[in-house]
Amino acid sequence: MVMNIKTYMQDIGLKAKKTSYDLAKASSAKKNQFLSDLANRLSKNESEIIKKNQQDLEDAKKRGLDAAFIDRLTLSKKTIESMVTGLLQIASLNDLIGEISNIKQMSSGIQVGQMRVPLGVIGMIYESRPNVTIDAAGLAIKSGNSIILRGGSESLASNSFLARLIEESLIVAGLPKECVQVINTKDREAVTELIQMNNFVDVIIPRGGKSLIKMITEKARIPVIKHLDGNCHIYVDAYADIENALSIVDNSKTQRLGTCNTLESLVVSRSIASNFLPKIKEIFDAKNIEIRGCANTIKVIPDITKASESDYYEEYLAPTISCIIVETINEAIAHINKYSSGHTESIISNNHGNAMQFLREIDSSSVMINASTRFADGFEYGLGAEIGISTDKFHARGPVGLEGLTSMKYIVLGTGQIRG
Amino acid sequence: MVMNIKTYMQDIGLKAKKTSYDLAKASSAKKNQFLSDLANRLSKNESEIIKKNQQDLEDAKKRGLDAAFIDRLTLSKKTIESMVTGLLQIASLNDLIGEISNIKQMSSGIQVGQMRVPLGVIGMIYESRPNVTIDAAGLAIKSGNSIILRGGSESLASNSFLARLIEESLIVAGLPKECVQVINTKDREAVTELIQMNNFVDVIIPRGGKSLIKMITEKARIPVIKHLDGNCHIYVDAYADIENALSIVDNSKTQRLGTCNTLESLVVSRSIASNFLPKIKEIFDAKNIEIRGCANTIKVIPDITKASESDYYEEYLAPTISCIIVETINEAIAHINKYSSGHTESIISNNHGNAMQFLREIDSSSVMINASTRFADGFEYGLGAEIGISTDKFHARGPVGLEGLTSMKYIVLGTGQIRG
C-alpha cells in the first residue's frame, strides 16, 4: 500500500511540475478567464455544492465532531458567495508574473535587474474548510503556480466536487487540467510523501492545528510557509489617548474571539493604569471578558484573577485576556518580544518617539500604531486575498497574497560583454 | 560528551539571540565603525594572521590534503587585502535596516506598509576558506544579524585568531561581543545541534561540498539558503552574432575553470552550427578544452567524443564541455530547464522575441542575454559582497548580499481606527 501511495503521489508531483512550466508562461487573459469562469460555475452549481457538502456534514455528525468543527466544514449560500467574490477579486489584481524591476547599469556595461516568476508547485495541506480549495486554486493559478491540494478527509465529498468544477474551468480557459490536482485518498502516507517530494514541490503551505504544523515542520524536506499562534498584544503607553485606547482594546479583543489577530494580552504603562484599567474593566465586564492580571494590576482593579506565567504565553481564543503593568516602554517591548508569538502587536500612544521605537523594535509580522490588531489580514492590507498568514520571517512574513507565491530571478541584459 | 556539546551550543544560541535584539537597533554609525576598525585591525595584524594560518597549512600538509584544498585554506597578503577591501565596501553600502516602503492608504483609514528588519541569527557553516569568517561577520553585522560561525576543523587556528580580531572590533564599536561567535570545537555534533536550534537560529547558510549540503538539508529544522551546483548553459541562437558568441562562450568557459558560474554545456541552433562550431572548436583546441557532443554535433565537428546522457547533468569544473544541437528555441529551453542546476544560463541572439522568451522561460537564478555567465556574482551585480549564491527559489535567489539577510514586517499607522 505504501508503495502504491508513493507511486500515486510521484505521478501527481511529476504532472504538477510539468504543467507548472506551461502555467508560468500562460497569459494573464487565460488566467483571468479561468478565475471568472470558475466564479460563474460556482454560482450555477450552488445547490449541488451544498448537497455534496451535506454528505460530509452528515458523516461528521455521525462521528460526533464538535460544533466549531461542523461550522468550519459547512458550505452555505453565503460562503459560496464569498468564494465567488474572492475569485473575481483575484482576477482584478495585477498579474505580477514577468514584472521586471530594479534594472541598474553596471560599470562593466551589463544591465542587471530582477524578474518576478512563480515558485513552481505549491503543496497545500488543510483541514475541514472546503472553501480553501477554491481560494488556494485561484491564488495559485493567478500567480502562475501549479498546486496540489490535500484537504481534510472529512471534506472529501465537497472537495472532490469543487475539484471537478476547477478542472472544467481550467479546460475552458485552455490551461492544463493538472495545474490543480486534489489528492483523493484518505491515507496519511500521502501527506508524508507530499512534504518530501522536493524534486517536484517548491513550497508547502499548511493550514490547520498545531499538531499538523508540528508534524509537517519536522518531516518536510521542502520550505514551509507556516502559520502558528496569534498571541497578540496591545501596549497602552503613558501617552495614550484614553478614548482611543478603550475603543481599540475593546475592538481588538471582542469583535471576534476566535481569530488569530484577536488581542490576547494587555500591557499597560503604570502612569496611565489607574485611569485606563477601571474603564476597560467596565467594558470587559459587560461582555463577560475575564481579566487575569499581575500583582500590580490587581492593586488597581482588585476584582480579577491573578495571572500565572503561562497565561502570558496563552492564545486564549476565548473570553479571557491577560494583563501586566510595566514601568517603561523598554520593559513593554522586552515583555512582548519574550511572550508574543510574533503575529501582531499594537501601541496606543501619541508620543512620536515611543510609537516609532515600538514600530522598530517589536519583532512581529505586523506592528501597529493606534490601530486595532483585527486589521492584520490580507484583505485589510490590500492584498486582495491571502493564502495564509506567515509567522515565519523567511521569504514571506505576515499575510501572504500573490507576491508571497512568487520569487525573483536575476536578469542580465548585455550586448556582448565578457568578464575581464 | 553529547550533553556537553548540546549545552555549549544552546548557550551560544541563547547569547546570539539575546544580542540580536541589541544589534537590530544599533545605529549605522556603530555598525560602520565596527567594519572600518576590523579592516584596520586586519591590515595591522597581517603577519600574525599569516603565521596562524601557517599552523593550519602545516597540519593540512601533514594530513596529505590536496593542492586545491591547500589553496583554499591559504591566507596570503593578497587575500587579506581583499578582506579589507570587502569590509570597507560593506561599510560604504546603505543601511537597509529600518527602511520603510510601500506605504498605502486603505479605505479603512489605516496606512499599511513594510519595514525592513534583520532575520535575527545566522548560522554559517563552511569549509576551509578562513576569509569567509571575515566576509560573513561583516555582512551579518551590517545587516543587523548576530552570527554563529562554524568553519572547517582544518582552519581552526586561523579562524580563532580572526575571531579575536572581530571581538576586539565589536568592543571598540560598542557592540555586544556575542554578536559574532565562533564555534571552537571540532566535534561534528555541534553542527547537528546548530542546524536544529530553531528557537535561537533563523537561517542556516552552508558553503561547502555536496555531501555537507545534503546532510544539512536533511537534518535542518531551520530554513537553509543553499548553494548547489552551477551546471551553466549558453544557447547560441540562430540569430546570434558569431563574434559575440565566440568571445562570450570562450570567456564563460575558459576565464576560470573551477567557479560555479563557469559554462559547462553548449546548446547550439542547427542553423548556425556549421558556422559556429568549427570556430569555437579551434578556440577550445588551443586551450585544451575537450568537447563532448551529441550525434549531430559530431557530424559538424567529427574530431570529438560522443556525449552520454550523464554528461549533460555534469558540472565539470574542468577543461571539458558538453554540446548539443537543437532545432528550435523551444527545444533549447526545454533541454536547459531539464538538465540545468538552475544557476546561470545565457542566450546569444539578436532576435528580440527569442531573447525575451529565453529571459522569461528559463527557470534559473540568473538568466542573461548576450553576456558571459561569469558575470553571475554579487560584486558584478552591484550587491557589494555576497554571503553565497542561492540556487533555491525561496526567500533569496542568486547572489545573496545584505538584502537576502533581511525580512520585511508589515507596519500599520493608525489614528484610532477599529475594524467594523
Side-chain angles (χ1 to χ4, degrees), chain A residues 102-267:
Chain A
N102 306 323
I103 290 270
K104 280 174 197 144
Q105 180 74 39
M106 297 293 129
S107 57
S108 60
I110 59 171
Q111 291 181 308
V112 178
Q114 288 177 298
M115 182 186 277
R116 198 171 281 286
V117 292
L119 287 176
V121 177
I122 300 166
M124 180 99 197
I125 300 162
Y126 52 107
E127 290 171 341
S128 55
R129 303 183 192 267
N131 58 306
V132 173
T133 306
I134 298 295
D135 297 351
L139 284 165
I141 296 294
K142 181 78 182 209
S143 58
N145 291 287
S146 287
I147 190 164
I148 301 171
L149 295 160
R150 179 24 150 114
S153 55
E154 62 290 337
S155 48
L156 204 52
S158 314
N159 285 340
S160 302
F161 185 70
L162 293 174
R164 215 184 80 196
L165 301 181
I166 291 169
E167 186 175 318
E168 288 167 6
S169 293
L170 285 168
I171 292 166
V172 165
L175 294 169
K177 64 185 171 56
E178 293 88 359
C179 289
V180 181
Q181 294 176 87
V182 171
I183 298 175
N184 55 27
T185 165
K186 298 190 178 189
D187 198 317
R188 287 189 156 234
E189 195 58 38
V191 173
T192 313
E193 191 59 32
L194 178 62
I195 64 179
Q196 301 195 334
M197 303 196 294
N198 53 16
N199 45 342
F200 298 132
V201 181
D202 296 283
V203 60
I204 294 289
I205 305 178
R207 275 175 74 171
K210 278 186 207 181
S211 64
L212 175 76
I213 302 215
K214 189 165 176 286
M215 184 280 283
I216 288 171
T217 310
E218 275 168 15
K219 291 196 182 164
R221 296 277 169 277
I222 300 167
V224 178
I225 296 181
K226 62 176 177 291
H227 178 175
L228 283 171
D229 316 5
N231 176 17
C232 303
H233 293 70
I234 287 183
Y235 170 52
V236 181
D237 186 40
Y239 302 92
D241 175 290
I242 287 284
E243 291 312 313
N244 270 352
L246 292 170
S247 79
I248 290 173
V249 169
D250 178 21
N251 181 260
S252 298
K253 181 64 204 177
T254 69
Q255 199 216 6
R256 282 181 70 184
L257 289 174
T259 59
C260 61
N261 54 22
T262 297
L263 176 64
E264 305 289 9
S265 191
L266 203 47
V267 182

Side-chain angles (χ1 to χ4, degrees), chain B residues 236-373:
Chain B
V236 181
D237 186 40
Y239 303 91
D241 176 289
I242 286 284
E243 290 313 312
N244 270 351
L246 291 170
S247 78
I248 291 173
V249 168
D250 177 21
N251 181 260
S252 298
K253 182 64 203 177
T254 68
Q255 199 216 5
R256 281 182 71 184
L257 289 175
T259 59
C260 60
N261 55 21
T262 297
L263 175 65
E264 304 289 8
S265 191
L266 204 45
V267 182
V268 181
S269 166
R270 180 195 285 276
S271 66
I272 205 168
S274 61
N275 185 357
F276 172 74
L277 284 177
K279 289 176 183 154
I280 195 68
K281 183 167 188 300
E282 204 177 317
I283 293 171
F284 280 167
D285 281 350
K287 296 183 177 181
N288 290 314
I289 307 285
E290 179 202 4
I291 302 174
R292 297 189 190 166
C294 65
N296 285 326
T297 307
I298 294 175
K299 283 183 197 155
V300 185
I301 41 171
D303 179 24
I304 60 163
T305 321
K306 177 88 166 60
S308 67
E309 168 86 2
S310 69
D311 273 304
Y312 295 111
Y313 285 110
E314 199 66 47
E315 183 190 26
Y316 297 111
L317 301 171
T320 309
I321 189 167
S322 67
C323 181
I324 188 168
I325 289 179
V326 294
E327 297 294 329
T328 64
I329 182 167
N330 288 330
E331 209 182 300
I333 290 171
H335 174 87
I336 293 171
N337 279 339
K338 179 173 175 190
Y339 292 96
S340 165
S341 61
H343 191 296
T344 298
E345 335 291 337
S346 185
I347 182 175
I348 316 301
S349 180
N350 283 325
N351 179 295
H352 180 69
N354 286 4
M356 291 308 289
Q357 185 187 348
F358 191 87
L359 208 60
R360 280 195 310 272
E361 296 183 11
I362 288 291
D363 185 25
S364 295
S365 72
S366 286
V367 191
M368 304 182 166
I369 298 173
N370 295 324
S372 168
T373 57

Side-chain angles (χ1 to χ4, degrees), chain A residues 119 251 255 359-360 362 365 367 369-370 372 374 377 393 395 407 409-410 412 414 416-417 419-420, chain B residues 119 251 255 359-362 365 367 369-370 372 374 377 393 395 407 409-410 412 414 416-417 419-420:
Chain A
L119 287 176
N251 181 260
Q255 199 216 6
L359 208 60
R360 280 195 310 271
I362 288 290
S365 72
V367 191
I369 298 172
N370 295 323
S372 169
R374 290 279 297 126
D377 86 35
K393 289 184 197 179
H395 185 74
S407 169
K409 66 184 180 192
Y410 278 98
V412 172
Q417 283 78 7
R419 192 156 162 192
Chain B
L119 287 175
N251 181 260
Q255 199 216 5
L359 208 60
R360 280 195 310 272
E361 296 183 11
I362 288 291
S365 72
V367 191
I369 298 173
N370 295 324
S372 168
R374 290 278 298 128
D377 86 34
K393 289 184 198 180
H395 186 73
S407 170
K409 66 183 180 192
Y410 278 98
V412 173
Q417 283 78 9
R419 192 155 162 193

